[in-house]
Amino acid sequence: MKKICVIGLGYIGLPTAAMFASNGHKVIGVDINNEVIDALEKGEVIIEEPYLKNMVEQEVASGNLIASKKPQEADAFIIAVPTPLTEDKKADMSLVEKAAESIVPYLRTGNIVVLESTSPTGTVKNLIIPILEKSGLKIGDELYVGYCPERVLPGQILFELVNNNRIIGTINRKSAEEIKELYQTFVKGEIYLTDTDTAEMCKIVENTYRDVNIAFANELAKICEDTAIDVDVWEVIKLCNKHPRVNIHQPGPGVGGHCLAVDPWFIVEKNPELARIIRLARETNDSMPQFIFNKIENILKNINPPKKITILGITYKANIDDVRESPIITLIKLLEEHNYKISAVDPYVKKSKYKVDTISEAVKDSDLLVLAVNHKDFKEIDFDTLAPQMRNKIVLDTRNYFDRNIIENKGFKYYLLGKAN
Ligand SMILES: NC(=O)c1ccc[n+]([C@@H]2O[C@H](COP(=O)([O-])OP(=O)(O)OC[C@H]3O[C@@H](n4cnc5c(N)ncnc54)[C@H](O)[C@@H]3O)[C@@H](O)[C@H]2O)c1
């Protein structure tokens, strides 16, 4: 059993730290955010992820998981800090750089260093290794270094941490053996070994594949809304996917989060001339809030101001609390700039300036209900109770989530993304 220092205790680092701890390792969870550390010291968490709170509580109580503002000497160091985009769509590696610098004084012969943060190809070789060399240790012989990207799905992180297949990219065979052995303490999926450049590229290619596929679906949604075609994109995609070799993703109001909306730019940054579909896909997905805004303008064009809209869901995807890069926030800002009054409901988000507590409070005098995120809770909405509270009974469904017949039978007008108004 090893002593492991996990640097960065967010959606990835904290579940990873708790998982290592629950498998008997002694884990030091390091973060620069006092709120995270204060919470962890009490066995609490500040992010919403099923079963995480219980696991953290248990491991802190057992003494296997300890919070710290600074790294300590350990057998292994795992870096899981953010890799956001700069304003000009470049990878901001400053947090990875600082995290790597922060462990240098604590490195000893035989240690393992693994980068988990999603990073542009070449990061371990060109950024991490030059920093680790400052320890004076011989990289590959005395210090084992690798890159192990994370593929977990928020909302089922603890299950996927254990059961997903993993790729581990390393700089030599000894590093591969050491790092594989470490992860095998809890990973039940296959572990595939490769070099660091390939592993880095795999992670961003996986997310780019999904971003491009969603952009294709969004482009189809726009095409199907064109009155010259006027078919229901959801029906088209559903039937096309009955083909054994077709798997089109779902359209929606945009792509957000820390991965799909960010990682494709890491490829564009390195190969702007060649990464043409990838860039266009990003631009297509980024255009969706404006597309939904235009659709709303059209739906409400004959209604007198002040126009009020209730937004159901503000996260970037369903059943999680994460609003990072959420296209719904972009949509709300657009609507506000055009003098729409906005109220939002989101059972997963604890704090937001747009949020009101209950849906009946939110819809009061609304002209339009926009289903922006398909949180499972919204299946329970009682339209009979909401109807008398709204000024106009109109629904825009951007996820094909509600049943048109049910909504229309309750006296609402129903509009759907991917079908002409
Ligand atoms: N969230 C996901 O679903 C997901 C999935 C796969 C990969 N990733 C990648 O994993 C990485 C981490 O993402 P996340 O979602 O966990 O981020 P996050 O923002 O939830 O958490 C990162 C944590 O790192 C801390 N931090 C920043 N700099 C630090 C430093 N120098 N020392 C110590 N702590 C530091 C922050 O305070 C924060 O608590 C990113 O590269 C991301 O792209 C995320």
Side-chain angles (χ1 to χ4, degrees):
M1 289 303 135
K2 290 192 167 9
K3 187 173 172 191
I4 304 171
C5 225
V6 177
I7 319 292
L9 300 174
Y11 287 92
I12 296 303
L14 186 56
T16 302
M19 189 59 79
F20 274 119
S22 76
N23 282 274
H25 296 287
K26 197 95 185 154
V27 181
I28 316 297
V30 181
D31 206 289
I32 50 172
N33 181 344
N34 289 337
E35 207 192 336
V36 172
I37 293 300
D38 292 347
L40 186 57
E41 277 170 351
K42 290 184 241 150
E44 292 169 6
V45 296
I46 62 164
I47 50 174
E48 202 63 47
E49 177 61 35
Y51 313 112
L52 182 63
K53 191 173 175 296
N54 284 356
M55 193 184 223
V56 166
E57 199 172 50
Q58 206 170 315
E59 294 315 318
V60 169
S62 76
N64 274 358
L65 179 56
I66 293 162
S68 172
K69 286 180 188 160
K70 283 193 171 157
Q72 301 177 7
E73 278 189 30
D75 301 304
F77 296 84
I78 294 176
I79 299 175
V81 298
T83 42
L85 277 181
T86 59
E87 283 284 306
D88 56 346
K89 310 283 188 202
K90 305 268 192 302
D92 176 356
M93 300 305 290
S94 59
L95 298 173
V96 168
E97 201 175 330
K98 282 197 192 105
E101 294 277 3
S102 75
I103 63 172
V104 170
Y106 306 97
L107 294 174
R108 302 288 176 263
T109 300
N111 280 178
I112 294 169
V113 179
V114 180
L115 177 65
E116 283 209 9
S117 304
T118 305
S119 303
T121 316
T123 298
V124 167
K125 276 191 188 158
N126 304 326
L127 178 71
I128 300 292
I129 288 180
I131 294 172
L132 300 182
E133 277 170 341
K134 295 181 194 171
S135 66
L137 296 169
K138 230 169 151 229
I139 308 295
D141 288 338
E142 294 173 322
L143 192 62
Y144 311 120
V145 182
Y147 176 73
C148 184
E150 195 48 76
R151 292 162 151 173
V152 288
L153 183 70
Q156 48 192 69
I157 291 180
L158 292 179
F159 174 83
E160 292 208 352
L161 266 179
V162 173
N163 294 291
N164 283 1
N165 298 330
R166 297 290 289 249
I167 298 175
I168 298 178
T170 58
I171 49 162
N172 64 351
R173 182 193 280 258
K174 182 68 181 153
S175 297
E177 284 165 5
E178 292 285 335
I179 297 172
K180 186 175 178 187
E181 192 188 323
L182 180 67
Y183 277 86
Q184 265 174 338
T185 51
F186 68 80
V187 174
K188 293 203 179 106
E190 289 291 328
I191 294 181
Y192 297 96
L193 298 175
T194 184
D195 59 90
T196 53
D197 286 351
T198 306
E200 288 159 346
M201 188 64 178
C202 284
K203 172 64 196 171
I204 47 183
V205 166
E206 288 163 9
N207 284 341
T208 301
Y209 160 78
R210 297 182 58 221
D211 195 51
V212 170
N213 196 327
I214 295 168
F216 178 57
N218 281 333
E219 189 165 295
L220 291 177
K222 290 179 177 181
I223 291 167
C224 289
E225 282 212 9
D226 190 300
T227 42
I229 295 192
D230 192 14
V231 293
D232 179 335
V233 75
W234 306 88
E235 180 74 355
V236 170
I237 291 174
K238 186 177 85 187
L239 296 177
C240 288
N241 284 349
K242 303 290 179 197
H243 185 294
R245 285 168 294 283
V246 173
N247 175 23
I248 307 169
H249 289 6
Q250 303 290 291
V255 169
H258 211 309
C259 294
L260 269 61
V262 173
D263 304 351
W265 290 114
F266 295 180
I267 300 181
V268 176
E269 177 185 352
K270 294 237 162 173
N271 301 84
E273 298 298 320
L274 297 176
R276 290 162 57 195
I277 293 177
I278 297 170
R279 176 194 285 272
L280 187 59
R282 273 285 69 248
E283 288 167 357
T284 302
N285 290 336
D286 280 349
S287 75
M288 291 313 289
Q290 180 70 50
F291 187 77
I292 301 287
F293 170 80
N294 295 347
K295 193 169 168 82
I296 291 173
E297 286 258 273
N298 193 284
I299 293 169
L300 298 183
K301 64 176 183 284
N302 295 325
I303 286 171
N304 289 333
K307 301 177 193 181
K308 183 182 168 191
I309 299 176
T310 299
I311 307 280
L312 298 178
I314 58 173
T315 56
Y316 80 87
K317 61 179 275 211
N319 308 326
I320 59 162
D321 70 338
D322 197 342
V323 294
R324 291 178 298 178
E325 320 287 333
S326 172
I328 316 307
I329 303 290
T330 312
L331 172 65
I332 290 174
K333 285 183 180 156
L334 258 174
L335 289 163
E336 282 189 328
E337 277 162 28
H338 289 80
N339 300 321
Y340 288 92
K341 198 166 175 307
I342 302 296
S343 64
V345 183
D346 197 306
Y348 293 82
V349 177
K350 288 196 188 106
K351 269 187 280 172
S352 163
K353 69 172 188 164
Y354 305 111
K355 208 187 114 148
V356 290
D357 287 339
T358 64
I359 187 158
S360 50
E361 195 186 327
V363 296
K364 208 168 174 314
D365 299 327
S366 280
D367 298 295
L368 174 68
L369 199 57
V370 177
L371 188 280
V373 183
N374 44 339
H375 287 316
K376 59 182 184 313
D377 314 58
F378 296 147
K379 275 281 186 221
E380 314 295 323
I381 288 177
D382 177 4
F383 285 92
D384 284 328
T385 333
L386 299 191
Q389 318 239 32
M390 292 180 69
R391 186 169 76 143
N392 282 287
K393 293 192 277 298
I394 311 174
V395 169
L396 168 60
D397 185 347
T398 68
R399 306 275 184 178
N400 194 28
Y401 196 57
F402 294 139
D403 184 320
R404 174 189 285 271
N405 290 330
I406 293 177
I407 303 263
E408 287 180 344
N409 285 340
K410 309 271 181 202
F412 282 79
K413 272 191 190 153
Y414 177 83
Y415 295 94
L416 178 64
L417 167 66
K419 175 97 181 76
N421 281 355

